[in-house]
């Protein structure tokens, strides 16, 4: 992929001398095959190009099309090139060598502002159209590539990364207190739902599924919809759905590596999502006589598994079954000895340019990127969005719907079969289903709830930033939680795809890691063609005959071993050893927390009584089986914020 930049003088004056060098020099922190600038009067376009496809080997970015009079800089890999070329009537002799950036210009010339919703792939781009005096940019539907900007009266500056913008003399680094307050108030890993803002005051981001249009001094940010007008799919049998899905998914997987001139890699766990991606990829690569290099995290050697019997902390035995069954895979099993969430903090803050809340898997997520880069991997496949696309299929949500609809016969048959498949007692199932279908039961007969994550924000800071009223809004502080989402599974999935911030953190981390390690992170489960198919198929194809995630289980027959494909009794659990890994650094961790506790800025923004309670517990040591509990989460999130304020503000 690439990093792009743009300076556009809103006042029509020439771009100030040296500003292009400041921005591009800041980008040279990242590996590149080419670094270039195109400038004409009041517009500067820049690109730090990482060559990921055969077409990009001869690509020039920024690119000025003298025939059309258009100029472009792009961070883009398109996965539906053939469909686009057919629609644009591009001559056959141009197709195989045409870079994606030039294809974007053809698309812009025909569709202008409506073009982004037709694109399948990961992209952020900026086009200068002097014919209409328009600057036009866009970001892909789920935010797999980033694009930040700063605007004042004279100038609009844009870049893939934030740091190059902060290198410009007129952009001053200051904290966005509203963003930070909302970041602290939301209990989950999600960032504030206003995807325009960032932690830096005055530095905004173009949200996923949005375009940016500049005409004169007017800047318009507008959402586009890549998932509209999806008609229900009605096929005659489950077999037909399976065959249709396999065709769509194989195309999505293959299109993500078929143009790469470098090695192809992929995450591989013992589960369905990454296993499905890897098995489809290995099959297609075998036809090209190329192996799939898989990368799997395994726990530290001295880790004593504390997880429940239905959860698997070490998935290596299952991974080995997939490797053996699917074939054409060259596996790497990585334990990252000496690494922990604590040792990763500074690396991740440098990469993300922002505080973050997820930390459990940071040591292996970055570690796999690093290992893949060292092996010359150009494309790293994942199945990160599979839970809401290929392996969606919430059995209890569907069964609760059957209960509300009084479809007793079907419900009884499904519950009986599900009980046999999973070993779950039917009495327990019916109890859960009643509470799920009829929420009034929970109010009349409440059950004990797990310890709630404490509020991180200082009440005074919440009042000062104007968000205090939001602390009483469970829908806000619980963004993304099961309680906050609609009970109906179809509605919950719809909400997931409508709320662009639900996927923002994943896209940002993947984008910035891929830039840092010069490889392309690609997720076929996030392919628009796959998502459209899954949204169009009826829910009965996803929950069927006592089987959740039924579509992908049926569709991987012959590709994944039945021990994984049909497994409904156990599931992997990531980074169960995260707290165990902290033992060698525990005193250093406590010392850092004590220092954080004395920081006046942290005292101003944090709920220090909650921090003190957690810190008192940590001084006595926290057992490994508390890795996912609130105490450890609160302390890690507090320390991450402290390090950010220390080193980046």
């Amino acid at each position: 992929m690439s990093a792009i930049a743009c300076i556009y003088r809103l006042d029509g004056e020439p771009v100030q001398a040296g500003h292009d060098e400041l921005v591009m020099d800041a980008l040279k922190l990242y590996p590149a095959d080419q670094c270039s600038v195109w400038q004409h009067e009041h517009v500067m376009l820049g690109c730090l190009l990482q060559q990921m496809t055969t077409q990009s080997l001869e690509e020039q970015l920024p690119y000025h099309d003298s025939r059309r009079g258009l100029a472009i800089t792009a961070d883009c890999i398109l996965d539906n090139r053939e469909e686009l070329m057919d629609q644009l009537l591009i001559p056959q002799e141009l197709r195989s060598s045409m870079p994606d950036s030039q294809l974007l210009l053809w698309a812009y010339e025909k569709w202008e502002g409506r073009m982004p919703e037709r694109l399948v792939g990961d992209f952020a781009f900026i086009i200068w159209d002097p014919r209409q005096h328009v600057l036009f940019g866009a970001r892909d539907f789920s935010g797999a590539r980033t694009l930040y900007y700063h605007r004042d009266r004279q100038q609009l500056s844009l870049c893939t990364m934030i740091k190059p913008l902060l290198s410009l003399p007129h952009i001053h680094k200051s904290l966005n207190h509203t963003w930070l307050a909302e970041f602290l108030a939301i209990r989950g890993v999600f960032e504030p739902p206003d995807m325009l803002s960032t932690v830096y005051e005055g530095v905004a981001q173009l949200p996923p599924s949005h375009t940016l249009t500049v005409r004169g001094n007017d800047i318009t940010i507008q959402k586009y919809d890549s998932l509209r007008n999806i008609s229900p799919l009605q096929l005659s049998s489950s077999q037909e759905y399976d065959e249709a899905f396999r065709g769509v998914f194989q195309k999505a997987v293959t299109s993500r590596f078929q143009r790469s001139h470098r090695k192809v890699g992929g995450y591989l766990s013992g589960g369905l999502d990454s296993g499905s991606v890897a098995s489809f990829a290995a099959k297609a690569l075998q036809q090209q006589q190329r192996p799939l290099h898989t990368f799997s995290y395994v726990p530290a050697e001295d880790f004593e598994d504390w997880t429940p019997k239905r959860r698997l902390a070490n998935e290596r035995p299952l991974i080995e079954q997939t490797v053996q069954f699917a074939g054409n895979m060259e596996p790497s099993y990585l334990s990252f000895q000496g690494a922990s969430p604590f040792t990763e903090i500074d690396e991740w803050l440098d990469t993300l340019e922002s505080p973050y809340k997820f930390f459990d898997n940071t040591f292996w997520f970055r570690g796999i990127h690093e290992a893949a880069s060292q092996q010359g991997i150009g494309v790293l496949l994942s199945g990160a969005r599979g839970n809401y696309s290929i392996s969606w299929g919430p059995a209890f949500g569907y069964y609760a719907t059957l209960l509300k609809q009084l479809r007793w016969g079907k419900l009884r048959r499904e519950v009986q079969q599900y009980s046999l498949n999973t070993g779950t007692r039917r009495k327990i199932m019916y109890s859960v289903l009643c509470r799920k279908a009829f929420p009034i039961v929970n109010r009349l007969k409440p059950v004990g709830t797990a310890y709630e994550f404490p509020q991180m924000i200082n009440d005074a800071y919440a009042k000062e930033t104007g968000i205090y009223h939001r602390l009483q809004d469970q829908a806000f502080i619980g963004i993304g939680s099961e309680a906050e989402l609609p009970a109906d599974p179809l509605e919950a999935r719809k909400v997931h795809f409508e709320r662009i911030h639900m996927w923002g953190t994943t896209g940002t981390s993947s984008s910035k890691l891929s830039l840092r390690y010069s490889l392309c992170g690609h997720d076929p489960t996030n392919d628009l063609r796959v998502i459209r198919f899954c949204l169009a198929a009826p829910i009965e194809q996803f929950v069927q005959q006592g089987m959740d995630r039924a579509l992908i289980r049926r569709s991987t027959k012959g590709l994944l071993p039945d021990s994984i494909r049909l497994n409904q009794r156990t599931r992997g659990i990531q980074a169960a050893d995260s707290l165990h890994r902290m033992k060698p650094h525990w005193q250093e961790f406590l010392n850092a927390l004590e220092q954080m506790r004395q920081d006046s800025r942290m005292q101003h923004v944090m709920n220090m009584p909650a921090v003190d309670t957690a810190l008192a517990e940590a001084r006595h040591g926290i057992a490994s089986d508390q890795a996912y509990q609130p105490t450890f989460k609160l302390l890690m999130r507090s320390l991450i914020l402290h390090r950010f304020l220390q080193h980046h503000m």
Side-chain angles (χ1 to χ4, degrees):
M1 304 299 281
S2 303
I4 61 175
C6 172
I7 296 176
Y8 181 84
R9 292 289 298 193
L10 296 166
D11 56 10
E13 295 294 316
V15 174
Q16 289 182 265
H19 279 202
D20 57 337
E21 295 179 4
L22 289 171
V23 171
M24 299 311 294
D25 284 348
L27 282 176
K28 289 178 181 177
L29 171 69
Y30 306 99
D33 298 296
Q34 180 190 118
C35 186
S36 302
V37 168
W38 177 88
Q39 190 166 325
H40 182 71
E41 296 178 347
H42 63 295
V43 183
M44 182 282 287
L45 301 178
C47 183
L48 182 139
L49 177 64
Q50 295 178 343
Q51 295 168 339
M52 298 294 176
T53 65
T54 53
Q55 291 80 14
S56 67
L57 295 175
E58 303 298 326
E59 187 172 24
Q60 179 66 42
L61 278 172
Y63 173 70
H64 178 245
D65 186 329
S66 56
R67 184 178 72 84
R68 293 179 175 81
L70 301 172
I72 185 172
T73 187
D75 172 19
C76 174
I77 290 186
L78 296 176
D79 296 316
N80 65 332
R81 281 170 55 94
E82 288 304 315
E83 293 94 328
L84 290 171
M85 288 178 173
D86 288 343
Q87 294 167 13
L88 294 166
L89 303 178
I90 293 177
Q92 287 292 333
E93 62 271 18
L94 298 179
R95 295 190 176 195
S96 62
S97 61
M98 179 178 285
D100 289 351
S101 55
Q102 292 184 32
L103 181 53
L104 287 174
L105 290 184
W106 281 70
Y108 173 78
E109 187 174 48
K110 180 169 184 177
W111 297 308
E112 294 188 343
R114 297 297 302 274
M115 65 175 284
E117 63 192 49
R118 297 174 179 267
L119 308 178
V120 176
D122 302 340
F123 60 82
F125 62 82
I126 303 164
I127 295 173
W128 167 235
D129 181 357
R131 305 165 307 178
Q132 302 184 67
H133 301 284
V134 168
L135 189 77
F136 179 75
R139 190 176 172 198
D140 65 82
F141 96 104
S142 66
R145 309 307 297 175
T146 52
L147 189 59
Y148 300 95
Y149 66 92
H150 174 275
R151 184 241 173 116
D152 59 23
R153 291 183 179 180
Q154 288 78 38
Q155 182 166 298
L156 173 68
S157 309
L158 304 100
C159 191
T160 300
M161 304 296 286
I162 296 174
K163 193 174 295 182
L165 297 177
L166 298 175
S167 72
L168 293 170
H170 63 287
I171 302 179
H172 305 291
K173 185 189 292 187
S174 61
L175 187 63
N176 182 344
H177 285 281
T178 301
W179 185 96
L180 179 58
E182 293 189 350
F183 175 83
L184 290 172
I186 296 169
R187 288 182 172 141
V189 297
F190 300 100
E191 295 184 0
D194 175 15
M195 286 294 290
L196 279 166
S197 64
T198 73
V199 68
Y200 294 98
E201 186 69 40
V203 177
Q205 63 177 318
L206 184 64
S209 294
H210 278 69
T211 61
L212 176 147
T213 306
V214 185
R215 298 177 187 271
N217 286 326
D218 295 329
I219 300 177
T220 303
I221 307 291
Q222 188 170 2
K223 190 176 188 300
Y224 64 88
D225 189 357
S226 298
L227 296 174
R228 62 192 177 118
N229 300 328
I230 297 176
S231 301
L233 184 62
Q234 296 179 335
L235 302 179
S236 60
S237 67
S238 291
Q239 184 179 359
E240 287 192 13
Y241 281 102
D242 299 347
E243 291 173 358
F245 170 78
R246 281 193 291 266
V248 172
F249 191 54
Q250 185 68 71
K251 190 172 188 178
V253 172
T254 305
S255 66
R256 277 162 167 74
F257 62 74
Q258 64 183 358
R259 296 192 292 134
S260 175
H261 58 285
R262 295 164 62 186
K263 295 178 182 178
V264 180
Y267 292 95
L268 183 58
S269 70
L272 275 174
D273 294 330
S274 64
S276 299
V277 171
S279 62
F280 274 78
K283 176 184 174 183
L285 283 165
Q286 195 164 31
Q287 298 173 8
Q288 304 175 11
Q289 296 184 323
R290 303 165 72 189
L292 175 69
H293 301 265
T294 63
F295 298 88
S296 305
Y297 145 76
V298 293
E301 292 178 3
D302 59 345
F303 172 64
E304 295 182 8
D305 193 351
W306 54 265
T307 57
K309 64 179 181 179
R310 286 181 174 266
R311 306 306 296 267
L312 297 174
N314 186 358
E315 298 180 71
R316 180 164 181 161
L318 293 178
I319 296 168
E320 290 174 338
Q321 290 177 43
T322 295
V323 171
Q324 174 105 24
F325 188 90
N328 197 38
M329 296 182 187
E330 294 186 2
S332 295
Y333 300 96
L334 306 169
S335 63
F336 308 107
Q337 290 298 128
S340 73
F342 176 67
T343 62
E344 290 289 302
I345 293 176
D346 292 333
E347 292 272 9
W348 272 90
L349 289 175
D350 285 342
T351 298
L352 292 177
E353 307 177 291
S354 176
Y356 61 94
K357 294 180 184 175
F358 64 94
F359 60 82
D360 309 90
N361 63 354
T362 49
F363 62 91
W364 67 256
F365 190 40
R366 188 191 65 80
I368 284 179
H369 275 77
E370 185 174 51
S373 178
Q374 291 169 353
Q375 292 189 32
I377 302 298
V379 177
L380 186 62
L381 302 172
S382 73
R385 203 167 199 171
N387 284 345
Y388 280 91
S389 59
I390 67 169
S391 66
W392 183 75
F396 276 70
Y398 176 54
Y399 297 161
T401 300
L402 293 179
L403 179 58
K404 286 192 289 186
Q405 294 172 348
L406 305 181
R407 297 170 65 183
W408 303 113
K410 186 173 182 62
L411 176 62
R412 181 181 57 80
R413 292 191 298 272
E414 284 285 342
V415 167
Q416 184 175 8
Q417 189 61 50
Y418 186 90
S419 176
L420 290 172
N421 292 348
T422 64
T424 306
R425 290 168 56 194
R426 279 175 283 175
K427 182 178 180 181
I428 294 175
M429 286 187 65
Y430 281 119
S431 174
V432 173
L433 291 177
C434 284
R435 291 181 179 276
K436 200 169 186 68
F438 308 110
I440 192 172
V441 175
N442 290 316
R443 293 194 294 271
L444 295 175
K445 294 184 177 181
V447 294
T449 57
Y451 175 62
E452 193 174 72
F453 189 80
Q455 184 53 259
M456 288 182 66
I457 191 170
N458 185 324
D459 279 358
Y461 186 58
K463 292 175 182 176
E464 176 187 318
T465 53
I467 73 144
Y468 186 73
H469 65 287
R470 308 205 75 173
L471 301 185
Q472 283 70 49
D473 182 358
Q474 294 299 317
F476 175 75
I477 64 173
I479 283 175
S481 67
E482 185 176 340
E484 185 264 342
L485 291 172
D488 180 88
L490 291 170
E491 285 299 314
R493 185 175 60 167
K494 181 181 177 183
V495 166
H496 172 85
F497 285 110
E498 286 177 346
R499 295 181 181 175
I500 53 176
H501 67 277
M502 300 285 280
W503 206 237
T505 300
T506 303
T508 298
S509 59
S510 177
S511 173
K512 295 186 177 184
L513 280 174
S514 71
L515 182 63
R516 175 175 177 177
Y517 291 107
S518 189
L519 55 80
C520 180
H522 250 345
D523 180 6
T525 69
N526 193 40
D527 186 288
L528 277 166
R529 295 163 294 192
V530 171
I531 292 172
R532 288 170 185 147
F533 180 93
C534 292
L535 289 174
I539 191 171
E540 288 80 6
Q541 291 303 316
F542 296 92
V543 184
Q544 189 178 104
Q545 297 178 354
M547 186 184 294
D548 60 3
R549 309 165 84 187
L551 179 65
I552 194 63
R553 294 186 193 277
R554 300 193 312 267
S555 300
T556 49
K557 186 175 183 179
L559 290 170
L560 285 176
D562 286 354
S563 57
I564 293 169
R565 184 176 71 88
L566 301 179
N567 173 30
Q568 290 181 256
R569 293 181 176 247
T570 59
R571 294 191 70 173
I573 184 169
Q574 297 178 349
D577 63 341
S578 59
L579 195 46
H580 166 80
R581 289 170 173 271
M582 299 278 288
K583 290 180 180 178
H585 318 289
W586 196 252
Q587 189 56 53
E588 185 183 356
F589 177 56
L590 291 177
N591 293 342
L593 289 169
E594 295 287 358
Q595 184 183 8
M596 177 271 294
R597 178 65 186 82
Q598 302 304 316
D599 188 304
S600 59
R601 286 191 295 183
M602 292 298 290
Q603 293 171 359
H604 179 64
V605 304
M606 292 291 299
N607 176 7
M608 277 304 172
V611 173
D612 288 341
T613 300
L615 185 51
E617 185 178 341
R619 291 191 188 103
H620 293 93
I622 304 177
S624 296
D625 62 2
Q626 300 297 300
Y628 301 111
Q629 296 306 308
T631 295
F632 185 45
K633 286 183 180 180
L634 176 63
L635 293 176
M636 278 297 299
R637 291 181 184 182
S638 302
L639 186 56
I640 290 167
L641 175 58
H642 180 234
R643 285 278 181 86
F644 175 79
L645 295 177
Q646 265 190 320
H647 300 154
H648 298 270
M649 294 301 300

